[in-house]
């Protein structure tokens, strides 16, 4: 199938329209569609596209041998490829797999000053060694953090119009329940999205075949690729520790208490020894960290305990790949998942919140059973968000809303495997609308 429209497309168009644009760095985890999106944009907007992949063509690491000025780099690129054309105002230079040669970022300042060519850089695991890139190009670049496809992009890929979000959002604004047909249709698509994840290659296969055939194998290959990245880019004993954390996330999410416990990762493991490994996975775009609030009140930032946290996968397809084979069938049938079903939905909501730009925070009161999955905020309000695999009563959400102890909370959201409605314990929204948050 053809190109899958992504939200970065709009950003790239706006970037090109800005006469003061800086060189652009597109960051994000592997296989989320960075290269495909940039190349699609480049071919539609430039007469000349010079594409350099530092993994596939390591000889291009020598293009700065004579210096970082554009004329020196142009000369060396032309020596390696006599067919390239450099035309001012008509050329995009695309440096891909930047993590393999972060030194090229030093040249961005000079490309910006010269102003003849647009430059885009991209790569996986950029967060891991981003301090090198940042120090080499500070003030002369624009960053864009790309993630895997969200549910809206998934609906576009399925053939729904670009106005589908507005159509769904109208139901929320008007508190108008979906018809039984709409609810069944969109919830079915949402479960498919949970099962496939947001990696474009997997979404393309699912749509092309109309089945889940081969999806699990592709997801497990992706997991293997991430594990190989750890072995390639992490150092020494850190490799084993990072992989231990990565492999233990599904088990810990499957427990009723989803707080990540380092003591369960390896014998004698301590937070101070493993925190760097968690940061490595987070910087690589593989996981998301959800911090425990000290108390449910504003502000969110600075009001959390960084020694208490939950870990989620940045793409739920990774979580699926690390679970039992039977999970795919069980999720499609919406049965037999138990605690696992709650973990999957919680992970997909964490993913939706992160993709919308929100931070991840939860709360667990030590002297009671009061616990809340996530929190967001308006200008003046703290908004608890609860995820329910079924539309059951939420005592914690009800307590947070009604108790005088929590002055910053006036209302909350309950994301349910059910319809939009009214309740005493929060505003019930159907799970497939979570990407609106």
């Amino acid at each position: 199938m053809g190109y899958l429209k992504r939200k970065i497309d709009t950003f790239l168009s706006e970037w090109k329209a800005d006469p003061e644009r800086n060189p652009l760095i597109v960051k994000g985890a592997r296989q989320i569609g960075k290269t495909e999106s940039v190349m699609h944009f480049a071919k539609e907007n430039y007469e000349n596209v010079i594409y350099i992949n530092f993994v596939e063509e390591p000889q291009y690491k020598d293009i700065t041998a004579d210096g970082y000025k554009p004329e020196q780099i142009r000369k060396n690129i032309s020596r390696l490829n006599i067919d390239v054309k450099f035309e001012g105002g008509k050329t995009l230079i695309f440096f891909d797999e930047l993590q393999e040669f972060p030194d090229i970022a030093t040249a961005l300042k000079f490309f910006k000053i010269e102003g003849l060519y647009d430059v885009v850089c991209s790569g996986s695991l950029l967060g891991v060694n981003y301090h090198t890139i940042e120090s080499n190009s500070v003030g002369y670049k624009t960053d864009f953090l790309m993630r895997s496809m969200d549910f809206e992009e998934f609906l576009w890929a399925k053939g729904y119009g670009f106005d589908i979000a507005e159509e769904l959002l109208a139901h929320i604004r008007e508190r108008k329940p979906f018809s039984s047909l709409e609810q069944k249709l969109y919830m079915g698509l949402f479960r498919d999205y949970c099962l496939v994840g947001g990696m474009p290659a997997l979404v393309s296969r699912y749509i092309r075949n109309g089945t889940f055939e081969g999806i699990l194998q592709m997801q497990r290959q992706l997991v293997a690729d991430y594990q190989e990245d750890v072995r390639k880019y992490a150092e020494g004993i850190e490799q084993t520790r990072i992989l231990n954390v990565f492999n233990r996330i599904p088990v810990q999410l499957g427990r009723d208490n989803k707080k990540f416990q380092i003591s369960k990762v390896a014998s004698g493991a301590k937070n101070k020894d493993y925190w760097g490994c968690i940061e490595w996975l987070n910087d690589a775009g593989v996981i998301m960290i959800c911090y425990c609030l000290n108390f449910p009140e504003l502000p969110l930032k600075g009001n959390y305990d960084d020694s208490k946290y939950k870990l989620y996968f940045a793409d739920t397809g990774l979580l699926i790949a690390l679970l039992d084979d039977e999970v795919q069938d069980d999720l499609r049938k919406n049965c037999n998942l138990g605690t696992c079903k709650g973990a999957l939905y919680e992970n997909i909501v964490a993913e939706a919140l992160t993709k919308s730009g929100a931070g991840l925070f939860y709360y667990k009161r030590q002297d009671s059973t009061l616990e809340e999955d996530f929190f967001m905020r308006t200008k003046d309000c703290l908004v608890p968000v609860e995820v329910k695999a079924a539309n059951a009563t939420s005592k914690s959400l009800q307590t947070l809303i009604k108790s005088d102890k929590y002055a910053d909370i006036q209302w909350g959201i309950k994301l349910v495997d059910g319809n939009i409605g009214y309740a005493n314990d929060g505003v019930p929204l159907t799970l497939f609308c979570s990407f609106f948050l």
Side-chain angles (χ1 to χ4, degrees), residues 238 241 262 268-277:
E238 293 298 291
R241 288 177 173 172
I262 290 293
K270 294 182 172 59
N271 197 65
K272 65 181 178 65
D273 298 324
Y274 274 80
W275 179 247
C277 303

Side-chain angles (χ1 to χ4, degrees), residues 97-291:
E97 302 293 359
L98 181 61
Q99 78 281 356
E100 282 291 317
F101 190 52
D103 201 36
I104 193 65
T106 303
L108 299 183
K109 172 181 178 180
F110 303 108
F111 277 109
K112 165 66 175 177
I113 292 171
E114 185 186 52
L116 288 178
Y117 315 104
D118 287 346
V119 180
V120 176
C121 301
S122 180
S124 306
L125 288 100
L126 291 186
V128 172
N129 58 6
Y130 200 65
H131 60 280
T132 304
I133 297 165
E134 180 70 34
S135 62
N136 289 349
S137 58
V138 62
Y140 293 93
K141 63 175 178 55
T142 296
D143 293 324
F144 182 87
L145 178 58
M146 189 175 178
R147 302 186 187 274
S148 62
M149 298 173 74
D150 66 14
F151 186 53
E152 183 179 7
E153 291 171 315
F154 180 82
L155 291 176
W156 293 347
K158 284 288 290 182
Y160 288 85
F162 300 138
D163 59 348
I164 184 65
E166 198 61 36
E167 181 183 321
L168 298 178
L169 191 58
H171 281 266
I172 298 174
R173 289 184 176 131
E174 299 166 16
R175 299 283 180 89
K176 177 185 174 185
F178 292 95
S179 70
S180 57
L181 185 150
E182 290 172 320
Q183 180 69 21
K184 185 176 180 180
L185 172 67
Y186 292 126
M187 198 64 207
L189 287 168
F190 182 75
R191 288 197 191 97
D192 287 356
Y193 170 67
C194 292
L195 189 60
V196 173
M199 299 300 186
L202 277 74
V203 173
S204 292
R205 178 166 184 145
Y206 152 81
I207 292 173
R208 185 171 59 249
N209 295 340
T211 70
F212 296 96
E213 182 268 327
I215 294 295
L216 182 58
Q217 290 82 355
M218 290 179 70
Q219 288 171 328
R220 289 192 170 155
Q221 181 58 52
L222 181 62
V223 168
D225 290 343
Y226 275 122
Q227 291 169 335
E228 182 58 33
D229 280 343
V230 173
R231 297 184 186 97
K232 183 176 181 180
Y233 294 104
E235 299 176 358
I237 194 172
E238 293 298 291
Q239 295 179 9
T240 301
R241 288 177 173 172
I242 291 168
L243 289 172
N244 282 344
V245 171
F246 180 86
N247 293 328
R248 293 297 295 177
I249 292 173
V251 177
Q252 300 217 27
L253 278 180
R255 296 172 17 237
D256 287 334
N257 174 17
K258 295 178 177 65
K259 175 190 169 188
F260 195 82
Q261 295 177 281
I262 290 293
S263 61
K264 305 288 186 183
V265 171
S267 177
K270 294 182 172 59
N271 197 65
K272 65 181 178 65
D273 298 324
Y274 274 80
W275 179 247
C277 303
I278 292 168
E279 285 187 314
W280 194 100
L281 288 167
N282 183 62
D283 289 342
V286 178
I287 66 167
M288 305 170 291
I289 306 172
C290 181
Y291 291 105

Side-chain angles (χ1 to χ4, degrees), residues 44-81:
E44 288 199 335
N45 290 276
Y46 296 87
E47 290 185 21
N48 306 304
V49 180
I50 299 170
Y51 176 69
I52 295 173
N53 185 310
F54 290 117
V55 169
E56 296 176 358
E57 302 166 302
Q59 67 270 24
Y60 280 95
K61 294 180 184 179
D62 293 327
I63 59 177
T64 58
D66 300 317
Y68 296 96
K69 297 294 179 66
E71 61 268 21
Q72 296 164 324
I73 292 173
R74 283 198 303 271
K75 187 180 294 184
N76 284 330
I77 290 175
S78 298
R79 284 170 176 158
L80 291 167
N81 183 355

